[in-house]
């Protein structure tokens, strides 16, 4: 199902011409209205009026989260404050918050782009959508809320937390679609099973999950427990929020809204474009944002572009699900390790619960990594021989995947902390 078929199935040549026109307009506007960008353009001798091709965008410097923080709160707004109808911001847990603004047109565009994602994932006006994201300055809940209303679905803005109440609402209100982080969906699924509720008795059909990386194995686990079709969606507050890209029902890559976002993939170390099919850091330039346009924004998210057409008929390029973030990458004994690699291995091993924690310590000059893994009760209380066999299996599989050896500790079910928002999988005790 399409929401805006004339855009989603646009001819490639027509799309690139539209991108160029919108890029010209965006660069001219930021040059005139945002001193930060005017200074950056002048430093490299770039005149927006001279733009002749999309490739010339590479002449411009990148924008980083640090730039956004340095211009807190309104320094990068391209319209007067009187034209701002919405302000969102990051939590600021790792530094100064990043603040983004929306004009009335931005809100309309945002709603339509999220509606595209929802429609691609199977949602129609007949659905009842339960949004279990936290409402507030976080963009996720509001973006999906307005997109769902745009489609015409019924929206339950329950927010995050109080898992048993979430399930009660699902039962009473006959929720057909759950919107949350994948880790919270897993917590809901586990709670349903522990409560003795038959998931087939629920009206759930779809899950639309985002805000954190998750593996294909985790998708299958959630789908099996909740009896739903789960799709991934992608966005980030600094660019717009959800709606930048999303999977269709084929679930073979996330369709990028290329008529609104120009994307590049770069090597995060050399900053040069990666070869086709290679994993790289996603860089985004907004093409239609009025209030808060960003030029060559380094997302820190790692993905790759998927070649070839999608059976669904959409013509926009697809990207893989996010593998991880450059700033989430762990360097352990000189080896690059991403938590999702560990997750993928664990989900393939029978008897392992879908909850784990990575603890890194430094003993002398060496890093020591322990993966705490929840296991089913029958294994945890079984004889030591069976536990040792499972630990050795996990150790070998992880060593093969990661290229380094890690210790494995089996822990009882429900031992590790559960998360209603983004999961925190890593405890790094090293002092650098």
């Amino acid at each position: 199902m399409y929401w805006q078929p004339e855009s989603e199935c646009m001819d490639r040549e027509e799309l690139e011409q539209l991108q160029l026109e919108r890029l010209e307009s965006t660069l001219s506007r930021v040059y005139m209205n945002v001193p930060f960008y005017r200074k950056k353009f002048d430093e490299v001798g770039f005149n927006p009026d001279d733009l002749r091709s999309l490739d010339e965008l590479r002449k411009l410097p990148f924008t980083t989260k640090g730039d956004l923080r340095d211009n807190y709160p309104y320094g990068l707004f391209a319209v007067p404050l009187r034209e701002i109808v919405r302000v969102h911001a990051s939590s600021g847990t790792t530094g100064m918050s990043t603040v983004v603004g929306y004009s009335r047109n931005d809100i309309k565009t945002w709603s339509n782009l999220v509606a595209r994602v929802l429609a691609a994932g199977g949602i129609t006006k007949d659905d009842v959508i339960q949004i279990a994201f936290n409402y507030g300055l976080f963009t996720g809940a509001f973006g999906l809320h307005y997109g769902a209303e745009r489609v015409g679905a019924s929206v339950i803005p329950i927010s995050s937390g109080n898992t048993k109440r979430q399930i009660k609402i699902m039962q009473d209100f006959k929720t057909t679609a759950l919107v949350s982080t994948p880790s919270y969906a897993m917590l809901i699924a586990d709670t349903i099973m522990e409560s003795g509720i038959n998931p087939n008795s629920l009206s759930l059909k779809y899950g639309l999950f985002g805000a954190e990386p998750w593996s294909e194995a985790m998708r299958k686990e959630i789908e099996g427990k909740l009896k739903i079709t789960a799709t991934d969606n992608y966005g980030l507050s600094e660019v717009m929020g959800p709606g930048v890209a999303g999977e269709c029902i084929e679930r073979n890559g996330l369709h990028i809204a290329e008529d609104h976002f120009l994307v590049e993939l770069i090597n995060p170390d050399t900053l040069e474009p990666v070869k086709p099919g290679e994993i790289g850091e996603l860089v985004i330039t907004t093409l239609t944002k009025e209030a808060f346009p960003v030029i060559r924004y380094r997302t820190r998210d790692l993905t790759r572009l998927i070649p070839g057409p999608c059976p669904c008929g959409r013509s926009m390029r697809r990207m893989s699900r996010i593998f991880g973030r450059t700033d989430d990458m762990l360097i352990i004994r000189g080896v690059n390790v991403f938590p999702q690699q560990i997750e993928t291995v664990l989900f393939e091993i029978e008897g392992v619960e879908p909850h784990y924690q990575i603890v890194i310590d430094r003993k002398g000059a060496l890093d020591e990594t322990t993966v705490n893994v929840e296991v089913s009760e029958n294994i945890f209380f079984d004889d030591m021989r069976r536990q040792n066999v499972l630990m050795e299996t996990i150790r070998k599989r992880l060593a093969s995947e990661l290229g380094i050896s890690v210790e494995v500790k089996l822990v009882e079910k429900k031992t590790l902390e559960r998360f209603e928002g983004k999961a925190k999988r890593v405890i790094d005790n090293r002092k650098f």
Side-chain angles (χ1 to χ4, degrees):
M1 175 180 168
Y2 308 119
W3 178 248
Q4 296 174 315
E6 71 287 349
S7 297
E8 296 175 69
C9 302
M10 189 181 298
D11 176 76
R12 191 77 210 172
E13 187 174 333
E14 182 184 355
L15 172 62
E16 291 180 358
Q17 180 59 38
L18 178 63
Q19 287 179 319
L20 182 59
E21 292 170 3
R22 288 180 168 177
L23 180 61
E24 288 173 341
S25 176
T26 295
L27 295 180
S28 294
R29 282 195 307 107
V30 299
Y31 187 79
M32 286 190 298
N33 300 322
V34 185
F36 167 82
Y37 283 119
R38 186 183 310 120
K39 181 174 181 289
K40 289 284 189 182
F41 290 10
D42 288 344
E43 285 175 351
V44 296
F46 182 84
N47 185 341
D49 293 336
D50 295 336
L51 184 75
R52 294 293 178 268
S53 72
L54 295 174
D55 289 340
E56 291 180 42
L57 182 64
R58 292 179 189 163
K59 295 178 181 178
L60 294 175
F62 297 102
T63 304
T64 66
K65 181 167 280 193
D67 294 325
L68 272 57
R69 288 172 173 157
D70 291 343
N71 287 276
Y72 173 91
Y74 302 137
L76 294 183
F77 283 16
V79 300
L81 204 53
R82 63 178 177 272
E83 295 182 25
I84 301 292
V85 299
R86 175 81 62 77
V87 174
H88 281 285
S90 68
S91 63
T93 53
T94 58
M96 186 72 75
S97 292
T98 57
V99 180
V100 294
Y102 299 77
S103 69
R104 196 170 300 280
N105 277 338
D106 289 336
I107 294 292
K108 182 178 178 181
T109 299
W110 191 15
S111 299
N112 276 314
L113 291 184
V114 176
R116 283 188 195 180
V117 171
L118 294 173
I123 301 301
T124 71
K125 62 182 179 181
D126 296 321
D127 281 294
V128 178
I129 300 181
Q130 186 163 326
I131 298 180
F133 276 132
N134 182 39
Y135 279 77
L137 289 176
F138 171 61
T139 57
F142 280 98
L144 284 150
H145 182 123
Y146 286 115
E149 288 186 340
R150 189 81 181 90
V151 169
S154 302
V155 180
I156 305 172
I158 192 170
S159 196
S160 62
N162 200 337
T163 305
K164 290 188 176 179
R165 183 167 181 261
Q166 297 271 1
I167 297 167
K168 174 73 170 160
I169 291 292
M170 282 181 190
Q171 293 174 308
D172 295 348
F173 293 11
K174 300 192 182 306
T175 301
T176 62
L178 173 64
V179 170
S180 70
T181 61
S183 54
Y184 190 49
M186 184 66 76
L187 175 56
I188 289 174
D190 288 344
T191 306
I192 286 173
M193 295 181 69
E194 290 162 6
S195 301
I197 298 170
N198 183 348
N200 290 315
S201 69
L202 302 174
S203 300
L204 280 179
K205 296 187 294 183
Y206 302 106
L208 296 107
F209 306 126
E212 64 185 12
W214 53 308
S215 64
E216 187 63 29
M218 188 173 188
R219 188 210 302 264
K220 291 178 181 177
E221 187 89 11
I222 293 172
E223 288 183 328
K225 288 183 175 180
L226 290 179
K227 311 303 179 187
I228 60 173
T229 298
T231 54
D232 191 16
N233 60 80
Y234 174 78
L236 64 165
S237 298
E238 300 91 325
V239 170
M240 184 181 71
V244 175
E247 285 183 318
C248 66
I249 212 70
E250 297 286 339
R251 293 176 294 169
N252 185 27
L254 287 75
H255 294 270
I256 305 165
E258 288 191 277
D259 49 338
H260 294 269
F261 306 100
L262 197 60
V263 300
E264 307 169 69
L265 284 188
I266 63 167
N267 181 308
D269 297 319
T270 67
L271 306 184
E272 292 298 319
V274 300
K275 295 177 182 177
E278 286 187 353
I279 295 174
E281 179 184 341
L282 184 65
V283 174
I284 299 178
T285 297
T286 61
L287 297 176
T288 55
K289 283 288 293 289
E290 292 181 345
F292 192 80
V294 290
I295 311 301
R296 301 197 81 194
Y297 182 72
R298 292 187 61 181
T299 67
R300 298 290 183 180
D301 290 320
L302 294 167
T303 184
R304 66 179 179 86
L305 296 179
I306 299 173
C310 180
C312 76
R314 290 172 175 82
S315 58
M316 306 287 180
R317 285 188 298 178
R318 290 168 294 150
M319 67 182 205
S320 70
R321 296 159 76 186
I322 299 300
F323 294 106
R325 290 177 53 82
T326 58
D327 47 6
D328 283 349
M329 182 179 72
L330 305 169
I331 302 177
I332 303 173
R333 298 187 182 182
V335 176
N336 296 343
V337 174
F338 291 98
Q340 195 178 357
Q341 291 176 281
I342 294 174
E343 177 181 299
T344 299
V345 170
L346 295 179
F347 272 82
E348 294 173 348
I349 299 175
E350 186 177 354
V352 172
E353 295 292 316
H355 302 286
Y356 65 95
Q357 183 183 68
I358 305 163
V359 182
I360 311 170
D361 293 288
R362 176 158 288 169
K363 301 289 178 67
L366 292 177
D367 298 330
E368 291 192 0
T369 304
T370 302
V371 181
N372 295 319
V373 183
E374 286 192 11
V375 293
S376 57
E377 291 179 353
N378 63 318
I379 291 179
F380 189 79
F381 292 107
D382 207 339
D383 62 81
M384 285 298 298
R385 180 181 172 278
R386 189 178 177 192
Q387 289 188 27
N388 288 336
V389 168
L390 179 59
M391 281 194 291
E392 190 59 26
T393 298
I394 296 173
R395 264 197 293 262
K396 287 180 178 178
R397 295 279 291 276
L398 287 176
S400 175
E401 171 67 24
L402 305 177
I404 58 170
S405 297
V406 299
E407 289 300 313
V408 174
K409 181 180 178 182
L410 305 184
V411 299
E412 189 178 354
K413 195 173 178 180
K414 295 186 180 180
T415 300
L416 302 178
E417 184 180 358
R418 302 297 194 261
F419 299 93
E420 296 168 357
K422 296 183 181 181
K424 299 177 181 66
R425 303 289 194 192
V426 180
I427 299 176
D428 194 341
N429 297 319
R430 294 173 296 180
K431 306 296 182 185
F432 293 99

